[in-house]
């Protein structure tokens, strides 16, 4: 059977979709993958016709999206409906917020999609119905049907490697045309994960709700064996000839035991030998693990501060990591990792964060060992998450329309489109200027010696009373993020054009 898999998020890694494609191909089915998430290309009749042509004789069309790509998914489903094919919609957004998706698709997949899609394809091929398919959700006589979930895949080692063969794979370019995605083979960095699930239950993250959905179904956090993980890295190294490093996207790479980390440090350098970036929770960071990861080739470790306020982390995010844990993790990284090899994450634009919380955050950043880098995230109230539900209950937002789910949370603090982000504009803008590299003398664009003055009550009061000043500070931060991204997009466009011209 031929299945077309379409991703409407603005990225081409789509690890979940690539995993499903591998499972289907291993079972003897044909897949086509389409990456239709170019956010600056609207879903026009031309784009729909392009996609319909590539869909061809596929019996099943599977759409995958997070919240940000959900509107594009709805538009594509409407445009492809005349083809008369079975349309399935899966991904994080349908899993957390199925009621938003069920009216549009013939069938929604909640939870992991590998076994669901294989089951569905076999049912369709044999003429069987799918009304009782596990993980399925749909409308029947005006009623929403949510079938029971199958247990999460227990042994990740049994899954085939991600589909990076680039056969029958297309990407929507900036002109609205679908072109072969062969140029992706030239990427110098490859992203993949050796684990699923997270031990934390942060209210802003999908994992807290996923844990509730899967409660009683089996282990939520699962990991590949070290041998399988290293084997995967070796396979991907062979598939990407220009590969220079990996980004391991496990929610918490350091959640592995010290014994596992030691095995990784002893095998990965000899078999693969490429530097890597990974994410780690402060709770799991120890001197021993940092030393082992560094020995294995870790050149950058991403650590989530998320909020500089211990109160906000505890009471709002339900992220039970104290300042002491943050400092201890920072000292371990500073002592045993390569110099200048830590990237901290911080979320801004939080309506539950007060003035003192933000000032506490500045104090935390100042106290961290330098040099380090800081990445600013823009809070998005992801539909279906616990924080989204709280914001609706508290009257901060009405629903998905003003949840900011359409925003790129990686693009830094931006308050322009949602009024609930306009609290403490000056302090949020000031901290956003601290994004980037911090040294002995400066934090991002802000000289360290000016920080006590810039965060004093007198200055903060004055800026809060003069919105124009606060707005100017924010726009400095926005342009600081936008300019490098614009340059990067231009370089990518030139590279794709050159690839097409040169064949």
């Amino acid at each position: 059977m031929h299945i077309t898999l379409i991703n409407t998020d603005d990225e081409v890694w789509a690890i979940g979709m690539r995993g499903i494609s591998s499972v289907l191909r291993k079972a003897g089915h044909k897949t086509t993958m389409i990456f239709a998430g170019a956010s600056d290309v609207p879903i026009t009749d031309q784009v729909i016709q392009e996609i319909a042509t590539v869909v061809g004789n596929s019996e099943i069309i599977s759409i995958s999206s997070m919240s940000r790509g959900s509107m594009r998914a709805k538009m594509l489903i409407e445009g492809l409906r005349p083809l008369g094919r079975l349309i399935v919609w899966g991904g994080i957004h349908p899993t957390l917020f199925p009621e938003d998706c069920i009216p549009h698709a013939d069938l929604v997949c909640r939870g992991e999609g590998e076994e669901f899609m294989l089951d569905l394809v076999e049912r369709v091929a044999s003429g069987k119905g799918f009304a009782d398919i596990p993980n399925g959700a749909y409308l029947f006589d005006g009623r929403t049907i949510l079938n029971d979930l199958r247990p999460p895949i227990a042994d990740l080692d049994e899954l085939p490697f991600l589909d990076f063969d680039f056969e029958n794979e297309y990407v929507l370019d900036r002109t609205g045309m679908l072109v072969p995605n062969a140029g992706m083979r030239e990427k110098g960095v490859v992203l993949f994960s050796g684990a699923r699930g997270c031990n934390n239950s942060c209210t802003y993250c999908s994992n807290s709700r996923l844990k509730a959905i899967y409660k009683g179904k089996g282990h939520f956090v699962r990991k590949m064996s070290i041998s399988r993980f290293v084997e995967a890295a070796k396979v991907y190294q062979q598939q990407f000839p220009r590969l220079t490093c990996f980004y391991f996207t496990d929610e918490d790479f350091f959640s592995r035991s010290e014994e596992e980390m030691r095995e990784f440090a002893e095998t990965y350098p000899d078999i693969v030998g490429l530097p890597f970036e990974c994410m780690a929770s402060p709770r799991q960071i120890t001197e021993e693990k940092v030393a082992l990861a560094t020995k294995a080739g870790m050149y950058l470790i991403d650590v989530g501060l998320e909020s500089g306020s211990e109160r906000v982390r505890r009471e709002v995010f339900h992220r039970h990591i104290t300042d002491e844990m943050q400092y201890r993790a920072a000292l371990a990284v500073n002592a045993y990792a390569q110099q200048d090899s830590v990237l901290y994450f911080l979320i801004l634009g939080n309506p539950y964060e007060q003035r003192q919380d933000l000032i506490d955050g500045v104090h935390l950043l100042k106290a961290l060992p330098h040099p380090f880098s800081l990445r600013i995230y823009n809070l998005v109230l992801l539909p279906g998450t616990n924080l989204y539900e709280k914001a609706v209950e508290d009257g901060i937002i009405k629903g998905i329309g003003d949840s900011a789910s359409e925003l790129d949370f990686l693009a830094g603090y931006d308050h322009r489109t949602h009024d609930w982000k306009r609290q403490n504009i000056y302090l949020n803008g000031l901290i956003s200027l601290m994004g980037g590299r911090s040294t002995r003398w400066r934090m991002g664009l802000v000289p360290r010696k000016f920080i006590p003055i810039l965060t004093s009550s007198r200055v903060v009061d004055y800026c809060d009373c003069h919105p124009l000043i606060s707005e100017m500070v924010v726009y400095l931060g926005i342009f600081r993020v936008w300019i490098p991204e614009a340059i990067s997009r231009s370089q990518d466009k030139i590279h794709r054009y050159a690839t097409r011209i040169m064949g």
Side-chain angles (χ1 to χ4, degrees):
M1 182 173 286
H2 185 188
I3 305 96
T4 294
L5 306 167
I6 305 175
N7 185 277
T8 59
D9 297 313
D10 197 0
E11 58 97 14
V12 292
W13 292 104
I15 290 174
M17 189 171 84
R18 291 185 183 278
I20 291 171
S21 179
S22 287
V23 167
L24 292 173
R25 292 180 63 183
K26 183 179 179 181
H29 303 289
K30 178 183 178 181
T31 64
T32 296
M33 288 193 286
I34 299 175
F35 297 87
S39 57
D40 55 350
V41 179
I43 300 296
T44 62
D45 290 343
Q46 174 196 330
V47 169
I48 291 173
Q49 183 57 48
E50 281 279 308
I51 293 175
T53 300
V54 173
V55 166
N57 62 353
S58 299
E59 289 91 339
I60 298 175
I61 300 173
S62 176
I63 310 285
S64 175
S65 84
M66 295 187 286
S67 295
R68 191 181 177 210
S70 61
M71 286 304 300
R72 293 178 71 84
K74 292 173 185 177
M75 296 173 71
L76 269 182
I77 291 171
E78 181 180 355
L80 296 175
R81 180 67 66 191
L83 295 179
R85 313 296 164 76
L86 176 63
I87 299 180
V88 186
W89 189 359
I92 288 295
H93 185 67
T95 297
L96 299 186
F97 207 22
E99 56 268 32
D100 183 57
C101 308
I102 289 172
H104 301 275
D106 298 315
L107 184 63
V108 160
C109 172
R110 297 189 302 138
E112 294 180 335
E114 289 91 347
E115 293 176 339
F116 168 87
M117 282 300 298
L118 189 58
D119 187 5
L120 177 64
V121 168
E122 292 173 352
R123 288 175 183 237
V124 171
S126 61
K128 296 180 180 179
F130 51 78
D132 63 340
I133 187 171
N135 292 39
Y138 54 92
L139 282 179
F140 180 74
D141 286 343
R143 295 183 297 113
T144 295
I145 306 298
L146 300 178
N147 291 343
D148 193 21
L149 294 186
R150 65 185 79 228
I153 297 171
D155 188 357
L156 301 186
D157 283 10
E158 295 181 352
L159 293 173
F161 298 130
L162 300 175
D163 184 355
F164 284 129
D165 288 340
F166 305 109
E167 297 176 6
N168 299 320
E169 182 172 324
Y170 301 87
V171 61
L172 187 66
D173 71 8
R174 305 299 173 183
T175 68
M177 303 291 288
L178 282 180
V179 297
N181 198 26
M184 188 175 171
R185 194 184 296 275
E186 304 304 310
K187 293 280 189 180
V189 182
V190 167
L191 285 67
F192 81 98
S193 176
R196 294 187 181 182
C198 180
N199 288 311
N200 294 317
S201 298
C202 305
T203 57
Y204 56 81
C205 179
S206 60
N207 279 301
S208 59
R209 184 56 62 90
L210 289 173
K211 282 184 178 180
I213 292 173
Y214 277 112
K215 186 176 181 180
K217 295 290 185 180
H219 293 293
F220 179 67
V221 179
R222 294 142 291 148
K223 299 184 286 286
M224 288 182 183
S225 66
I226 293 297
S227 59
R228 180 66 170 176
F229 184 72
V230 172
E231 182 185 1
K234 185 62 179 179
V235 169
Y236 303 146
Q237 183 182 28
Q238 295 169 342
Q239 290 178 310
F240 289 82
R242 297 184 182 273
L243 183 63
T244 59
C245 60
F246 282 108
Y247 184 10
F248 301 146
T249 57
D250 305 40
E251 297 280 3
D252 186 357
F253 190 74
F254 277 43
S255 66
R256 295 181 179 275
S257 68
E258 189 175 320
E259 289 72 25
E260 289 176 296
M261 297 291 285
R262 183 169 291 106
E263 180 185 353
F264 181 70
E266 291 172 351
T267 56
Y268 176 84
D270 292 336
I271 297 175
V272 181
L274 288 178
F276 63 89
E277 177 182 356
C278 64
M279 295 185 287
S281 167
R283 185 189 301 276
Q284 299 290 347
I285 293 175
T286 65
E287 293 180 349
E288 293 79 8
K289 290 183 179 181
V290 174
L292 289 168
T294 302
K295 176 184 176 182
M298 182 183 73
Y299 76 94
L300 187 62
I301 179 172
D302 304 342
V303 181
L305 302 176
E306 314 310 4
S307 172
S309 165
E310 188 170 320
R311 182 196 71 83
V312 172
R313 290 196 300 271
R314 181 182 65 252
E315 298 178 10
V316 180
F317 289 165
H318 294 180
R319 184 177 174 85
H320 300 290
I321 296 177
T322 65
D323 285 348
E324 181 183 353
M325 291 178 185
Q326 305 273 30
Y327 291 133
R328 186 170 64 244
L331 291 173
V333 172
N334 189 61
Y336 290 92
Q338 299 177 24
Q339 186 178 14
D340 206 2
S341 61
V342 60
L343 173 64
Y344 293 109
F345 296 162
L346 190 69
I347 300 172
L348 294 181
N350 179 359
Y352 293 101
E353 210 158 31
Q354 304 302 318
R355 175 190 289 195
Q356 190 56 51
D357 296 317
L358 292 165
I359 291 176
D360 288 345
V362 174
H363 293 160
L364 175 63
L365 291 173
K366 283 184 63 181
L368 295 175
H370 51 72
F372 65 84
S373 294
L374 177 67
R375 175 178 292 165
I376 300 298
Y377 285 170
N378 196 22
L379 179 64
V380 171
L381 299 171
L382 291 175
T385 60
N386 293 337
L387 191 58
Y388 169 88
E389 300 293 346
K390 176 177 172 58
V392 171
E393 182 180 340
D394 292 343
I396 293 175
I397 63 173
K398 294 180 180 179
I400 187 173
D402 54 352
S403 66
S405 60
E406 80 286 355
L407 297 181
D408 181 1
F409 66 91
L410 294 172
Y413 173 63
D414 189 348
H415 67 292
R416 292 174 293 179
T417 56
H418 295 280
D419 288 342
W420 55 267
K421 288 184 170 291
R422 300 187 65 84
Q423 181 173 292
N424 296 305
I425 293 177
Y426 167 70
L427 283 174
N428 275 287
L430 177 64
I431 295 173
S432 73
L433 290 179
M434 297 179 186
R437 191 166 184 268
S438 286
T439 66
R440 178 182 178 185
W441 306 109
R442 62 181 176 89
M443 297 176 66
L445 298 179
V446 183
R448 282 182 179 265
K449 66 180 181 179
F450 291 161
I451 290 176
I453 299 172
L454 294 172
T455 57
S456 66
S457 296
R458 185 175 180 180
V459 171
V460 175
D461 287 341
Y462 182 84
C463 292
D464 285 347
C465 292
H466 295 78
L468 182 59
I469 297 176
S470 298
E471 296 282 349
M472 290 175 62
V473 172
V474 172
Y475 277 103
L476 281 174
I478 292 173
F479 283 119
R480 184 182 185 281
V481 173
W482 179 82
I483 290 174
E485 289 185 346
I487 294 173
S488 177
R489 286 195 298 269
S490 297
Q491 290 174 336
D492 287 345
K493 185 176 181 180
I494 293 170
H495 175 74
R496 286 194 298 270
Y497 180 76
T499 300
R500 287 165 56 188
I501 294 298
M502 298 176 68

